[in-house]
Amino acid sequence: MRHIWAFPSLTALSLFQASAASAVPRARQAINTSSPLALFRTKRRFRTQAQLLSNSATKTTLVEEMVTVDTTSRLAALRSLMKERNLHVYVVPSEDSHASEYIADCDARRTFISGFSGSAGTAIVTLDKAALATDGRYFNQASKQLDSNWYLLKTGMQDVPTWQEWATQEAEGGKLIGVDPQLISSAIAEKLDEDIKNAGGGGLVGIKENLVDLVWGSEQPPRPSNSVFLLGQQYAGKDTAAKLADLRKELDKKKAAGFVLSMLDEIAWLFNLRGSDIAYNPVFFSYAIVTQASATLYIDEAKLTDECKTYLERNKVTIKPYGALFEDSEELARRAEADSKDAKPRKYLISSKGSWALKLALGGNKFVDEVRSPVGDAKAVKNDVELNGMRNCHIRDGAALTEFFAWLEDQLVNQKAQLDEVDAADKLEQIRSKHKDFVGLSFDTISSTGANAAVIHYKPEKGACKIIDPNAIYLCDSGAQYLDGTTDTTRTLHFGTPTAKEKKAYTLVLKGNIALDSVVFPKGTSGFAIDVMARQFLWKYGLDYRHGTGHGVGSFLNVHEGPIGIGTRKQYIDVALAAGNVLSIEPGYYEDEAFGIRIENLAIVKEVKTEHSFGDKPYLGFEHVTMVPYARNLIDETLLTPDEKDWLNRANKKILEKTLGYFENDPLTKAWLLRETQPF
C-alpha cells in the first residue's frame, strides 16, 4: 500500500512546525538513548519528518504522488549503459532482492527511472522506447505521473500485452534482454528466456551490476540498517524452536535438504524478530537457511540487541553476515554436486518468489525445487494469541477512527475549518498514537476528498493536495501497526448531503461487503471462488472495481500478506482459505474525476457450525474484527433487505459495546458514535 511511518507520540507532532535541520539532530539524540522498541519508533518517526520537511530541497527524495517527472536524461544514461553491454531491452521490476511488495527507498529503481511511484508495475526500456506496465489500481495514477517518454501498458485490459509479451516482441531478431537476476523470480526469468528464444530473440541475460543503480549514482539513498528487536511471547504466541520444528517436519515430508528463506516477513515471523528497514513493514534485511541440523540467520549482527542474540542462541540459531548468503549457497551447490556422484542428492527448497540469482547460486534446477513457502503458509494461519491480539488491537484502532471521524465532521461542519487531506491524515495518526501498543502506521493513509477518492491508491502530499470538501465524498483508507496486530480499515463518508447516485453506489458496495462477510463455505474453498459474492450487486448494474476484494494481513507484520487473498488473480485459485487466516474484505466503486467508495473490514476465517456437513467437511465463515460504524447518510435503506439490516444492527451493537467506553469523557465522539450506530 503506501510509504512512510508513523508518529507514535503527541510530542512528535510538534515537529511539523520545526525545521528539517533541527529535526534530524533530535532524532540522533533519541536514537542514542532509546530502548530497542523506542529506537524502532524514533528512527522511523524522525526520518519521516525530516523527509517530509525537506522534500523540496533534497535530491534523493522519491517521486511524489501525482507529479510528472522528466525522465529524459535518466533514460539516455540507461540506454548508454545498455549499448555498452549489447542489450536492446532492460527490465526494471518493482521488487527488491527479497521480492518485497513495499521496498526501502534505495530499492525504488522503477520509480526512479520511470517517475511512477505506485507499489506495483514493471518498467521495460529499449534503445528507443519505454513502457510501464501496471494494474487497474494504478491506471489513473500512472497516467498522471508518466511523462511523454513512456507508454502505459494497462495490465489486464483486452488486447493489451503483458510486459513480458511487449519485451519479447522488442527482442525479435536475436536481441538480448537484460535484468538484475536478484530482482526477478526464477520462474518468471526461465519462462521469459524460453519465450524470447521461441520468438527469435537472443534470450534473457542476468546482469549482476544493476544499471539503474549506476544511473542513480551518489543520489541513490543509502541502504537502511536499523535496529532489530525481539517480539515477546505474549505477542508471538509461539517460540522459534517450535516454529523450526514444524518447518523441519515439512522438510522431511518433502525429503528436502533444507529451505532457504528470502522473504523478509517470513524471516521476521520465524525468528520472532521485528525491524524497521522498510517503511510501514516491521521487517529487516536478512536471509536464512534451515536444515534438519541447523538454522542460520544472515543479518548484519550489529543490528541485533543482546536480547535478540541471547534468544537466537537459546533457540539454536547461528548468526552470519547478510552478504555471506550467496557465498554459502554456492558452497552448498558444490557439496551437492560432489554428493550427486554417489547418490541422488536431496534438493534445497526456495520460495516460488525466490530470485533467479538465488536459484543459480544453489546450483539451478538440478539441486533446487521452487515451492509455495511452507513458512508463508504457516504464518498465514494465526495462533490463538495472534488472533486475540488482532481482535484487541482492532477495538483500540476502531476507537481511534471513531474519534477521528467525529472530530473531522465537527471541524468541517460546525467549526467551518479549512483542512486539507494531509491535515486530516496527521490528526488521525496523532489520535492513534495515544492507544496502547501503538508502534506506527501500516501504510500511508489514503485521505481523499471528491475526485481524489477515485484514485485507488492515492497519497496526499502537503502543498499538492486538496482542501476537504464537506459537500463531497471523503474516503479514508488507513491502518496501524500495534505490538499485538496489524490493522487496515477503509470508511467512506459524506459530511453534507450526498447525491442519490453516491448513495446507491455506496449501498451496493455495502451489500457486497455484507454478503461476503456472511458467506459460509466448505473447507478447501479458495478466495477466487467467493470473490463474486462482493461484486454481484455492482455487476447487476454493469459496475465493478479494478482491485482485489481481499488480501491477507500479517500479525504485526506486512499489511499485505500472502499466499491467501480474495479476487480474480490466478494465485488465489491455488490456495484455499483456512481457519486462522486474517484477511480484508474491501469491495469498492470508483468514478474517475468524480468520487470513489470503498468499505473495508478485516476478518478472521473461522470454523462455523452448520445443520449438515456434506462430504464430512468442516465449513468456514468470517468473523470481522473491525470496529468502526458505517456512514448512515450514505445508505439507501430501500436497497437493503431485512437480513442486511439485521447484519448492520448486530454489527453496530458490537461496535457500540466494544468502543463506547473509550468516550466517557468525550461527549463529541460519544454523540457521533451513538448517532451512527442507531438501529435500522
Side-chain angles (χ1 to χ4, degrees):
M1 280 178 188
R2 317 74 155 150
H3 279 86
I4 303 174
W5 269 71
F7 314 129
S9 68
L10 293 172
T11 305
L13 292 171
S14 65
L15 290 172
F16 277 112
Q17 282 75 49
S19 67
S22 63
V24 173
R26 275 181 281 179
R28 295 195 183 107
Q29 181 181 13
I31 289 166
N32 292 332
T33 60
S34 296
S35 67
L37 180 55
L39 173 65
F40 170 80
R41 294 171 172 172
T42 305
K43 289 183 76 172
R44 180 62 63 191
R45 182 181 77 217
F46 281 96
R47 193 187 84 169
T48 295
Q49 290 163 355
Q51 286 177 335
L52 287 173
L53 290 164
S54 60
N55 268 349
S56 61
T58 177
K59 292 182 178 180
T60 60
T61 298
L62 293 178
V63 181
E64 293 182 0
E65 297 286 334
M66 314 310 288
V67 176
T68 302
V69 174
D70 184 353
T71 61
T72 303
S73 62
R74 297 174 186 181
L75 288 171
L78 176 59
R79 285 167 175 147
S80 177
L81 294 171
M82 290 165 59
K83 289 177 183 177
E84 291 176 8
R85 289 154 180 80
N86 194 33
L87 299 176
H88 185 79
V89 183
Y90 190 69
V91 177
V92 186
S94 295
E95 296 80 9
D96 62 13
S97 57
H98 300 273
S100 304
E101 180 182 8
Y102 301 107
I103 55 178
D105 291 349
C106 60
D107 289 319
R109 299 175 179 91
R110 191 225 58 223
T111 297
F112 171 79
I113 201 65
S114 70
F116 167 65
S117 62
S119 67
T122 302
I124 318 98
V125 179
T126 76
L127 295 179
D128 57 1
K129 301 175 189 174
L132 185 285
T134 191
D135 61 47
R137 294 172 295 168
Y138 294 110
F139 292 167
N140 191 324
Q141 180 178 329
S143 67
K144 291 177 169 62
Q145 289 187 315
L146 296 175
D147 69 6
S148 58
N149 289 299
W150 292 84
Y151 174 70
L152 176 59
L153 295 173
K154 295 184 176 182
T155 302
M157 298 295 286
Q158 188 174 356
D159 299 325
V160 175
T162 64
W163 71 261
Q164 293 97 326
E165 291 169 341
W166 194 88
T168 297
Q169 291 169 8
E170 293 298 319
E172 291 176 1
K175 297 168 184 173
L176 295 174
I177 297 179
V179 68
D180 183 337
Q182 290 199 51
L183 305 183
I184 188 170
S185 75
S186 177
I188 292 176
E190 291 173 359
K191 177 67 165 59
L192 180 57
D193 182 58
E194 180 183 353
D195 290 346
I196 294 166
K197 290 175 180 175
N198 287 340
L204 184 67
V205 181
I207 307 296
K208 290 186 177 180
E209 195 173 32
N210 190 283
L211 302 189
V212 175
D213 287 353
L214 296 179
V215 175
W216 211 342
S218 61
E219 294 186 359
Q220 186 175 13
R223 181 159 295 280
S225 186
N226 298 332
S227 180
V228 173
F229 65 92
L230 179 66
L231 185 67
Q233 191 80 354
Q234 70 272 33
Y235 301 112
K238 193 173 187 177
D239 66 15
T240 292
K243 293 178 180 180
L244 286 171
D246 290 343
L247 175 56
R248 286 171 175 140
K249 290 177 184 177
E250 291 300 315
L251 294 179
D252 191 50
K253 288 179 185 177
K254 293 178 170 60
K255 301 187 184 306
F259 183 53
V260 182
L261 289 85
S262 56
M263 302 291 288
L264 300 183
D265 62 332
E266 293 182 6
I267 297 168
W269 177 85
L270 182 63
F271 296 105
N272 287 342
L273 302 175
R274 297 295 188 269
S276 60
D277 283 348
I278 295 181
Y280 300 129
N281 299 271
V283 298
F284 47 91
F285 286 110
S286 55
Y287 289 98
I289 298 179
V290 177
T291 69
Q292 292 293 355
S294 66
T296 305
L297 176 63
Y298 293 84
I299 186 174
D300 178 1
E301 190 172 348
K303 299 167 72 165
L304 297 171
T305 64
D306 289 341
E307 183 183 28
C308 291
K309 293 176 185 177
T310 299
Y311 176 79
L312 292 171
E313 183 179 1
R314 188 168 69 245
N315 285 271
K316 297 180 171 52
V317 178
T318 301
I319 302 167
K320 281 195 172 186
Y322 175 73
L325 181 279
F326 280 93
E327 181 180 338
D328 282 4
S329 296
E330 290 168 356
E331 175 61 25
L332 291 174
R334 284 191 289 270
R335 291 180 189 174
E337 181 66 46
D339 292 343
S340 67
K341 295 176 182 177
D342 300 320
K344 183 179 179 181
R346 288 193 170 198
K347 291 187 176 183
Y348 279 87
L349 305 181
I350 65 172
S351 164
S352 55
K353 294 185 177 180
S355 72
W356 190 24
L358 179 58
K359 183 175 181 179
L360 292 174
L362 286 164
N365 288 321
K366 184 177 180 181
F367 302 115
V368 180
D369 276 338
E370 298 164 82
V371 298
R372 193 173 79 230
S373 170
V375 176
D377 285 352
K379 175 169 54 64
V381 178
K382 275 58 178 175
N383 59 51
D384 288 342
V385 171
E386 292 172 320
L387 292 176
N388 284 331
M390 292 295 276
R391 293 183 182 101
N392 292 332
C393 75
H394 275 85
I395 294 170
R396 302 192 300 275
D397 200 63
L401 280 160
T402 295
E403 181 181 344
F404 166 65
F405 291 139
W407 171 85
L408 185 58
E409 180 182 283
D410 179 64
Q411 289 292 308
L412 296 175
V413 177
N414 300 325
Q415 310 303 325
K416 308 298 182 184
Q418 293 282 298
L419 298 170
D420 66 30
E421 295 160 327
V422 172
D423 294 331
D426 291 345
K427 179 64 176 181
L428 173 55
E429 195 166 28
Q430 178 251 317
I431 293 172
R432 275 191 166 116
S433 71
K434 300 183 298 183
H435 287 275
K436 177 186 174 185
D437 288 340
F438 175 84
V439 178
L441 298 187
S442 57
F443 56 91
D444 255 331
T445 297
I446 298 177
S447 170
S448 51
T449 186
N452 285 347
V455 181
I456 295 170
H457 278 187
Y458 174 71
K459 174 186 169 184
E461 293 285 353
K462 200 69 175 176
C465 62
K466 288 184 178 181
I467 298 295
I468 297 174
D469 182 357
N471 295 308
I473 286 283
Y474 175 72
L475 186 153
C476 181
D477 184 351
S478 68
Q481 296 285 8
Y482 298 89
L483 291 175
D484 53 350
T486 300
T487 71
D488 182 2
T489 302
T490 307
R491 288 294 183 266
T492 306
L493 301 94
H494 199 297
F495 303 109
T497 303
T499 66
K501 183 178 185 180
E502 290 169 336
K503 292 180 67 172
K504 183 174 183 178
Y506 181 92
T507 309
L508 294 176
V509 171
L510 177 61
K511 285 168 72 71
N513 192 293
I514 294 171
L516 185 50
D517 180 271
S518 306
V519 71
V520 174
F521 51 93
K523 182 180 179 181
T525 301
S526 71
F528 182 93
I530 60 175
D531 177 72
V532 64
M533 301 298 296
R535 298 180 192 265
Q536 59 180 311
F537 304 101
L538 290 164
W539 283 358
K540 184 177 179 180
Y541 292 91
L543 306 175
D544 205 349
Y545 48 94
R546 289 193 181 106
H547 59 73
T549 299
H551 56 82
V553 179
S555 179
F556 184 30
L557 270 173
N558 297 0
V559 74
H560 283 178
E561 177 181 85
I564 58 165
I566 302 172
T568 56
R569 294 184 183 182
K570 182 181 181 297
Q571 68 196 63
Y572 296 152
I573 300 175
D574 302 326
V575 186
L577 300 181
N581 290 158
V582 177
L583 70 168
S584 67
I585 296 176
E586 51 178 310
Y589 174 69
Y590 312 89
E591 282 199 13
D592 288 350
E593 309 304 330
F595 64 88
I597 291 165
R598 186 159 62 253
I599 302 172
E600 177 183 19
N601 294 328
L602 293 197
I604 295 170
V605 181
K606 65 176 184 178
E607 192 166 331
V608 298
K609 292 182 179 180
T610 54
E611 183 179 354
H612 304 285
S613 182
F614 182 80
D616 294 324
K617 286 186 176 182
Y619 278 72
L620 305 175
F622 293 112
E623 170 199 348
H624 75 259
V625 295
T626 303
M627 295 292 139
V628 185
Y630 307 88
R632 290 189 68 90
N633 69 338
L634 276 166
I635 297 174
D636 182 346
E637 290 190 49
T638 66
L639 296 176
L640 296 179
T641 67
D643 283 347
E644 289 166 341
K645 290 180 181 180
D646 181 61
W647 184 97
L648 280 168
N649 288 336
R650 285 185 282 110
N652 284 336
K653 181 181 179 183
K654 188 174 181 180
I655 291 167
L656 201 60
E657 291 173 349
K658 297 288 187 181
T659 64
L660 186 61
Y662 284 87
F663 312 120
E664 291 303 321
N665 299 313
D666 182 356
L668 175 70
T669 304
K670 185 176 182 179
W672 188 92
L673 177 60
L674 290 170
R675 185 193 76 195
E676 292 298 304
T677 55
Q678 291 178 55
F680 285 89

